[in-house]
């Protein structure tokens, strides 16, 4: 098809017709459009994990000085600045991107602090004229040192200003917050992850660049979604980490409880990523009305700012809640699939990246940023030292300098004479001419000499980093550790190896009252074994987890759960899922999180399991303040929960153990590395209202970090983990030591005990301690197994550096339940 071109001034030149091939024109125009969408709108950069509009929002807010310590401004003002200066694609697209940067259910680590109605998973936000915003501290970390020539700049759309090609990005944003976008012929979808876990993997990769995918997955076992929930099945995650493509299922967190005296219901506390409660309610109503789903009488949304998500699905009498829950997972958005397609821009080209490649691209960017920042600071320090040297020359001959300047006719002559007489550079001469006379004093000379010495030391430090690649890598690793300490938070999403048993019948399940064991994992999952044969194995360590407490029970019996607030809650064993896999290799990923079984208060943690149906010697508890208590065998009550120890203000339970014979040794370990053990017979049993007696004498500022009970034997060991008490939990590996328990002599109750760990430089406290039957097993906060050293026999020795932060230590299940 010919295209006609008309001149602006017909009388100046003739009209002519230009023939153009339609196919070639379409290909050229479409490629330009596709290029623009891919590089300027839809795909994130693998270095900072941001799309252009997000990067421009953060850069503009930094230029506007909208720091976290400043007041909020109207969102419309930020949108206008971004659109006018850098992003001429319409205010709607900019505000949509800004809103997402605010929403904690969209971003695992939000970058913008919003004030006003920024919507919900189901509802849109208010208009930009009604909302306000400012930078979050995380956004400051993304843009810090951008004015130190750490990244390249390019002209904006009209060439009047410059914008950064990429942000310095001290946070590994692409993995932490994920990304999604649809370009022309390609798309990206990356799941969010936990910042602490990603930083641990990055630091490991810095030390061991040849680390394998399995090594990295010890630190990053799976995504960590902003909305929590449960990921069912881990095979798809490994595929995604290996190839950049894969999928996994996200399941809502639920629990079954009595919603009325005569009726049970399903309480939903967390939903899959990007799924709102109204979407679930609408789907349930549609299924009920079409009679595709039976047994549901009502659905109520009780979500508020205090309790968070709280969706109650009431079940009709005569229907099994587990069977209905299984149907809800199959037919509603309470279980969704997340397809990973990790496509990002690397050196300007879209690439599909695996986990290790994503980490390597970010590390290469941080190495470049830190190197360029160091070069900039070295250059600035050298320039300042050059000026200081000139000022020192001027102060040494101050009278001659003043006379020379006074005798000069103008500034140019004074500058030339200073350069000639004192052998100064032009920059030094200009600086001297601008110095006020009040600074040319003896005090200024001392201050200048001190400044010159400090600048030389700084320059030496900068040059050392630039000359030694190992120092550079260590500096990047330390800065990542600080980021994790500042912005890290515990994992929200539970990783399940499999979905466990699926209930399909609409009638109550018939379960015989067989012997079993109830297990509590380090990641606070509860489960029961199918029978009691699991204790026959020595390991009983589930994949990605360790069992920290185990108790004998029957399938239709009850067990007690002791919490940090000194309360004991009854739990029906039948309400706990049976472990998938074989009895000799139980997988705790089939367990249920504690909040789905018990309603705990804020800050209340599960400490241990205990028997509530036996007639043994009772329960022993130890508190942070060093108090010990033994309950009487008749401490049980006809209630679902009750108090088993009266605690003082700011005190809490650090350990609890069910006594089997009453002749066990009770053991305390304190934060200042003192260990005390004494016979349980030295503690007189008390009733439920008793507050206990003095267990260990604490030094000023110390606290008890461990309490437990054991029967001494040659297999018993002591595990201690040292660190810094100011570090964020889960960010510092510290030193770990394993010692035979037999090396520690018994002392009397209410004494100080003996030293069990010697601190190394920079350490000042025990972060974790444990005593029990070996072989000891440890895991990180995400449940990943951590190897422990062998027992070295030095009870007051220092620990060995741990491979990663240790969250829990435990014995094999067999050792915990052996009578």
């Amino acid at each position: 098809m010919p295209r006609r071109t008309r001149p602006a001034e017909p009388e100046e030149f003739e009209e002519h017709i230009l023939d153009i091939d339609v196919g070639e024109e379409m290909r050229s125009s479409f490629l330009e459009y596709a290029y623009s969408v891919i590089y300027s709108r839809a795909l994130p950069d693998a270095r900072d994990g941001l799309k252009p509009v997000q990067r421009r929002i953060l850069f503009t807010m930094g230029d506007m000085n909208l720091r976290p310590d400043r007041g909020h401004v109207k969102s419309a003002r930020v949108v206008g600045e971004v659109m006018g200066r850098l992003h001429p694609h319409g205010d709607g697209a900019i505000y949509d991107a800004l809103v997402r940067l605010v929403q904690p259910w969209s971003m695992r680590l939000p970058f913008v602090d919003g004030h006003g109605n920024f919507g919900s998973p189901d509802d849109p936000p208010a208009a930009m004229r009604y909302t306000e915003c400012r930078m979050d501290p995380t956004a400051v970390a993304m843009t810090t040192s951008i004015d130190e020539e750490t990244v390249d700049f390019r002209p904006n759309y009209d060439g009047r200003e410059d914008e950064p090609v990429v942000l310095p990005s001290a946070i590994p944003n692409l993995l932490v917050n994920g990304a999604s976008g649809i370009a022309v012929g390609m798309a990206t979808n990356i799941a969010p992850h936990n910042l602490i876990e990603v930083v641990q993997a990055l630091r490991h990769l810095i030390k061991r660049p040849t680390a394998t995918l399995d090594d990295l997955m010890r630190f990053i076992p799976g995504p960590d979604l902003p909305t929590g929930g449960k990921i069912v099945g881990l095979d798809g995650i490994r595929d995604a980490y290996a190839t950049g493509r894969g999928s996994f299922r996200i399941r809502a967190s639920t629990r079954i409880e009595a919603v009325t005296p005569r009726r049970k219901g399903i309480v939903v506390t967390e939903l899959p990523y990007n799924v709102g409660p109204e979407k679930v309610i609408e789907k349930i109503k549609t299924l009920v009305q079409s009679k595709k789903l039976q047994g549901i009488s009502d659905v109520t949304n009780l979500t508020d700012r205090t309790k968070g998500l709280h969706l109650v699905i009431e079940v009709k009498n005569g229907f099994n809640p587990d069977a209905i829950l299984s149907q809800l997972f199959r037919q509603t958005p309470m279980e969704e699939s997340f397809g990973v397609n990790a496509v990002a821009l690397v050196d300007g080209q879209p690439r599909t990246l695996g986990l290790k490649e994503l980490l390597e691209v970010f590390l290469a960017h941080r190495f470049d940023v830190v190197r360029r920042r160091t070069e900039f600071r070295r250059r600035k320090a050298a320039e300042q030292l050059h000026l200081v040297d000139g000022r020192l020359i001027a102060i040494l001959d101050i009278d001659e300098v003043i006379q020379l300047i006074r005798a000069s006719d103008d500034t140019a002559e004074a500058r030339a004479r200073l350069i000639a007489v004192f052998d100064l550079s032009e920059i030094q001469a200009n600086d001297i001419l601008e110095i006020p006379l009040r600074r040319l004093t003896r005090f200024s000379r001392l201050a200048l000499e001190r400044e010159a010495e400090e600048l030389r030391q700084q320059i030496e430090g900068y040059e050392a980093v630039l000359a030694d690649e190992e120092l550079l890598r260590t500096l990047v690793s330390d800065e990542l550790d600080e980021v994790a300490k500042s912005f890290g938070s515990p994992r929200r999403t539970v990783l399940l190896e499999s979905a466990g048993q699926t209930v399909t019948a609409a009638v109550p399940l018939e379960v015989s009252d067989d012997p079993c064991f109830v297990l509590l994992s380090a990641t606070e999952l509860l489960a029961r074994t199918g029978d009691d044969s699991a204790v026959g194995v020595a390991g009983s360590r589930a994949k990605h987890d360790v069992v920290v407490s185990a108790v004998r029970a029957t399938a239709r019996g009850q067990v007690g759960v002791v919490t940090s607030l000194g309360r004991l809650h009854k739990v029906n064993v039948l309400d706990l899922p049976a472990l998938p896999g074989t009895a000799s290799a139980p997988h705790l990923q089939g367990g249920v999180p504690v909040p789905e079984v018990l309603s705990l208060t804020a800050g209340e943690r599960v400490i241990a399991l205990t028997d509530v149906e036996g007639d043994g010697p009772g329960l022993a508890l130890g508190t942070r303040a060093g108090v010990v208590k033994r309950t009487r065998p008749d401490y049980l009550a006809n209630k679902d929960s009750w108090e088993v120890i009266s605690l003082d203000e700011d005190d809490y339970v650090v350990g609890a153990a069910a006594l089997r014979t009453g002749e066990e040794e009770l053991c305390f370990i304190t934060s200042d590395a003192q260990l005390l053990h004494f016979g349980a017979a030295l503690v007189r049993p008390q009733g439920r209202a008793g507050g206990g007696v003095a267990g260990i004498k604490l030094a000023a500022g110390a606290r008890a970090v461990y309490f437990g009970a054991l029967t001494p034997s040659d297999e018993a060991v002591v595990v201690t983990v040292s660190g810094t008490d100011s570090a964020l939990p889960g960010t510092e590996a510290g030193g770990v030591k394993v010692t035979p328990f037999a090396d520690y002599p018994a002392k009397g109750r209410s004494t100080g005990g003996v030293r069990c760990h010697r601190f190394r430089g920079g350490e000042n406290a025990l972060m974790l301690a444990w005593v029990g039957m070996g072989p000891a097993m440890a895991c990180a906060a995400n449940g990943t197994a951590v190897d422990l050293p062998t027992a070295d026999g030095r009870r007051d020795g220092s620990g060995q550096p741990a491979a990663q932060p240790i969250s829990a230590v435990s014995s094999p299940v067999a050792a915990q339940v052996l009578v």
Side-chain angles (χ1 to χ4, degrees), residues 89-222:
H89 296 292
D91 57 353
I94 300 172
Y95 186 55
D96 287 345
L98 175 64
V99 166
R100 181 176 173 82
L101 294 175
V102 175
Q103 295 173 336
W105 59 88
S106 298
M107 304 279 287
R108 186 62 178 83
L109 210 63
F111 287 147
V112 178
D113 178 16
H115 183 252
N117 176 18
F118 279 90
S120 71
D122 292 303
D123 302 316
M128 69 181 78
R129 61 183 179 273
Y130 298 121
T131 61
E132 298 178 338
C133 64
R134 65 182 177 188
M135 297 178 76
D136 192 85
T138 53
V140 177
M142 291 290 291
T143 58
T144 187
S145 74
I146 196 172
D147 55 349
E148 295 182 301
E149 299 180 3
T150 53
V151 294
D152 295 330
F153 280 71
R154 64 187 174 197
N156 69 335
Y157 66 93
D158 61 3
R160 297 182 181 181
E161 297 188 38
D162 289 333
E163 62 173 316
V165 175
V166 66
L167 294 186
S169 184
I171 297 173
N173 175 56
L174 187 58
L175 272 172
V176 172
N177 280 320
S180 62
I182 299 176
V184 178
M186 63 184 66
T188 185
N189 199 30
I190 304 174
H193 291 76
N194 185 276
L195 173 62
I196 295 177
E197 296 175 0
V198 173
V199 167
Q200 289 174 359
L202 287 168
R203 299 187 72 193
H204 181 78
L205 192 59
I206 290 174
K207 291 181 180 179
R208 298 174 178 83
T210 58
T212 64
L213 178 61
D214 289 333
D215 295 334
L216 297 176
M217 287 189 67
R218 293 183 60 191
F219 303 94
I220 310 178

Side-chain angles (χ1 to χ4, degrees), residues 562-568 607-608 618-624 626-632 635 643-647 652-659 666-668 678 683 687-688 690-693 695 707-709:
V562 183
T563 72
S564 58
L565 298 186
R567 297 189 61 79
L568 189 146
I607 300 299
L619 181 72
L621 304 101
T623 75
R624 179 181 187 270
V627 174
V628 62
K629 179 185 176 181
R630 275 187 63 185
T631 61
R632 294 173 178 169
Y635 67 87
E643 189 177 79
V644 291
I645 183 173
S646 297
L647 296 173
Y652 55 83
V653 176
V654 296
L659 302 179
L666 304 182
C667 183
F668 276 100
F678 49 87
V683 182
R688 291 194 305 274
V693 295
F707 172 82

Side-chain angles (χ1 to χ4, degrees), residues 476-744:
V476 171
S477 178
D478 292 342
E479 290 182 356
L480 287 171
D481 186 47
E482 289 299 320
V483 166
K485 292 178 180 178
S486 300
F487 308 117
S489 60
R491 167 172 279 275
R492 299 176 187 173
T493 301
V494 177
L495 303 178
L496 303 180
E497 187 75 26
S498 63
Q501 184 177 5
T502 302
V503 182
T504 57
V507 296
L509 295 175
E510 293 294 334
V511 179
S512 59
D513 196 21
D514 295 328
C516 65
F517 289 92
V518 177
L519 309 178
L520 170 68
S521 79
T523 52
E524 294 197 351
L525 296 176
L526 286 169
R528 60 182 170 91
T529 61
D531 52 42
D532 64 354
S533 61
V535 299
V537 298
S540 295
R541 185 220 303 257
K543 187 179 180 182
H544 301 309
D545 217 340
V546 296
V547 177
V548 296
S549 186
V551 63
R552 291 180 183 272
T554 61
R556 291 188 176 275
Q558 291 182 318
V559 296
V561 176
V562 183
T563 72
S564 58
L565 298 186
R567 297 189 61 79
L568 189 146
H569 301 263
K570 282 185 177 179
V571 173
N572 293 321
V573 177
L574 198 57
D575 291 340
L576 305 178
L579 292 179
T582 64
S584 62
H587 293 167
L588 274 180
Q589 280 66 26
V592 59
V594 169
E596 296 187 19
V597 179
L598 298 174
S599 296
L600 303 180
T601 61
E604 188 175 13
R605 298 182 300 106
V606 172
I607 300 299
L609 303 176
T610 185
D611 181 17
V612 295
E613 297 179 342
D615 55 356
L619 181 72
L621 304 101
T623 75
R624 179 181 187 270
V627 174
V628 62
K629 179 185 176 181
R630 275 187 63 185
T631 61
R632 294 173 178 169
D634 60 350
Y635 67 87
L636 303 181
N638 295 321
K639 295 188 295 185
D640 290 335
S641 66
W642 61 92
E643 189 177 79
V644 291
I645 183 173
S646 297
L647 296 173
D648 293 336
E649 188 176 358
D650 298 331
D651 198 10
Y652 55 83
V653 176
V654 296
L659 302 179
R660 298 188 179 94
T661 65
E663 302 298 326
E664 290 91 347
E665 287 286 301
L666 304 182
C667 183
F668 276 100
I669 300 180
T670 66
S671 59
D672 58 346
Q674 294 295 117
L675 182 150
L676 173 67
H677 68 91
F678 49 87
L682 298 179
V683 182
R684 178 175 56 86
Q686 295 179 327
R688 291 194 305 274
V693 295
I696 185 171
K697 185 178 180 180
L698 297 176
R703 68 187 188 282
V705 297
Y706 170 81
F707 172 82
L710 79 160
T711 301
S713 72
D714 294 339
E715 288 77 23
V717 294
V718 177
V719 180
T720 50
V721 181
S722 57
T724 307
D725 56 7
S726 60
L728 185 73
T731 61
E732 184 179 43
V736 58
K737 181 169 71 74
V738 182
T739 315
F741 178 76
D743 291 351
Y744 297 90

